[in-house]
Amino acid sequence: MTEDPHAPLIAAIRDALGADARVDGAWLSGSLGRGEGDAFSDVDVVVAVEDEDLGACVAEYGGVKSPLGAAVFRQVLYGRIVTAVTPDWRRYDLQFVTGPELRRLDFAKLRPLTPGAKPPPGLLPPRAPPARRPQDLVPMAEEFLRILGLLPVALGRREWLVAQEGWGLMRKLTIDLMVEANGRTSDRGGVKRLNAFLTDGQREALEALAWPGPSRESLIAANQALSGLFIPLGRTLLGEAWPSAFESATRDHLREALGIELP
């Protein structure tokens, strides 16, 4: 049987937290907590503490004298999440929670880590992500069209790198729109997994897009190809909320400035 590559780090975190009298309980969260992790997953841990201990715990575990030992990178996010990289490049996040925050967690997606870790009494229903409405996606569509409409500026100045960066931003918007169309935005979590949130057809279409070369012809072709993915999907997803006037003006602008047509 292959040894779990996370076992040594998980054991070190369990021992340190289990020996800390301020810790009421700790649970594996993230992909490992859900049973969906792999050898490349971070070790994510939820740590329950009392309100009065929160600041001290975050400062201690996020400091150079952390009970978890040396780290080549350590950072505190939002005043309660300690994220770190160990010298052997293992990654972990400790999310410190108190009171109502703990009671709102979905314990079906957590795995007890320390002895006695169990759901607290009076669990509250986890907050459901707000339903996305078509009009909520309008800024995404407008940003795509705005970047697309700036193509003549970059090409006119021969700013090939700027145009490539713009294309990269538009590709990310296209990915985000596809994930949204699949109803998976709230499930996506970290940035190191994407395949599961796209259909096979979407993934193949995105993978087929070649990064544009530093030339007018390559950049134009790349922008046209990306527009052929984003605009039809955006129209379908946004319906009447789609910024049709902006799209029409952008098409006219590119036709006049570059002599090109969008799909």
Side-chain angles (χ1 to χ4, degrees):
M1 180 180 296
T2 303
E3 183 179 354
D4 179 1
H6 302 297
L9 178 56
I10 291 174
I13 295 174
R14 181 194 62 226
D15 292 346
L17 295 177
D20 192 330
R22 299 166 300 182
V23 173
D24 296 329
W27 296 261
L28 276 177
S29 57
S31 59
L32 293 175
R34 296 191 302 271
E36 301 172 354
D38 57 25
F40 308 102
S41 297
D42 299 351
V43 174
D44 297 313
V45 179
V46 169
V47 186
V49 297
E50 299 299 321
D51 287 321
E52 59 267 25
D53 294 323
L54 175 63
C57 286
V58 171
E60 183 174 342
Y61 284 88
V64 294
K65 295 183 179 180
S66 169
L68 295 178
V72 293
F73 171 81
R74 189 182 284 114
Q75 186 178 28
V76 175
L77 303 174
Y78 314 115
R80 59 184 57 232
I81 299 175
V82 175
T83 182
V85 178
T86 67
D88 59 352
W89 243 97
R90 299 292 179 182
R91 310 179 309 276
Y92 68 84
D93 290 344
L94 305 181
Q95 179 185 359
F96 290 87
V97 299
T98 66
E101 298 167 323
L102 178 65
R103 294 197 296 274
R104 281 201 181 277
L105 295 179
D106 184 352
F107 281 83
K109 298 179 180 179
L110 302 177
R111 197 172 94 198
L113 183 61
T114 55
K118 58 183 180 180
L123 283 179
L124 301 172
R127 289 191 179 94
R132 294 293 291 268
R133 303 167 301 169
Q135 53 266 42
D136 295 331
L137 303 178
V138 170
M140 186 186 300
E142 291 178 334
E143 182 63 1
F144 184 96
L145 294 170
R146 186 187 72 84
I147 298 172
L148 179 62
L150 290 172
L151 182 61
V153 176
L155 298 187
R157 293 173 174 168
R158 299 178 64 84
E159 288 278 4
W160 311 135
L161 297 175
V162 171
Q164 287 174 325
E165 289 299 310
W167 185 85
L169 293 172
M170 292 164 61
R171 184 178 66 170
K172 182 181 184 306
L173 288 167
T174 303
I175 292 171
D176 291 344
L177 189 69
M178 289 178 171
V179 173
E180 183 69 38
N182 298 337
R184 300 297 304 278
T185 298
S186 62
D187 301 331
R188 188 169 173 185
V191 297
K192 298 181 291 295
R193 298 178 69 122
L194 183 57
N195 288 343
F197 306 109
L198 298 170
T199 67
D200 289 343
Q202 289 169 341
R203 182 174 51 78
E204 290 167 2
L206 289 164
E207 290 174 347
L209 296 172
W211 187 266
S215 71
R216 176 188 176 93
E217 293 75 18
S218 179
L219 286 158
I220 287 175
N223 276 262
Q224 288 174 312
L226 201 50
S227 298
L229 295 180
F230 186 96
I231 292 177
L233 179 60
R235 284 191 195 135
T236 299
L237 204 56
L238 275 70
E240 294 183 357
W242 173 257
S244 300
F246 196 5
E247 178 197 348
S248 179
T250 303
R251 287 180 176 275
D252 292 343
H253 171 56
L254 294 177
R255 186 182 302 115
E256 180 178 352
L258 300 177
I260 64 172
E261 297 288 344
L262 296 179

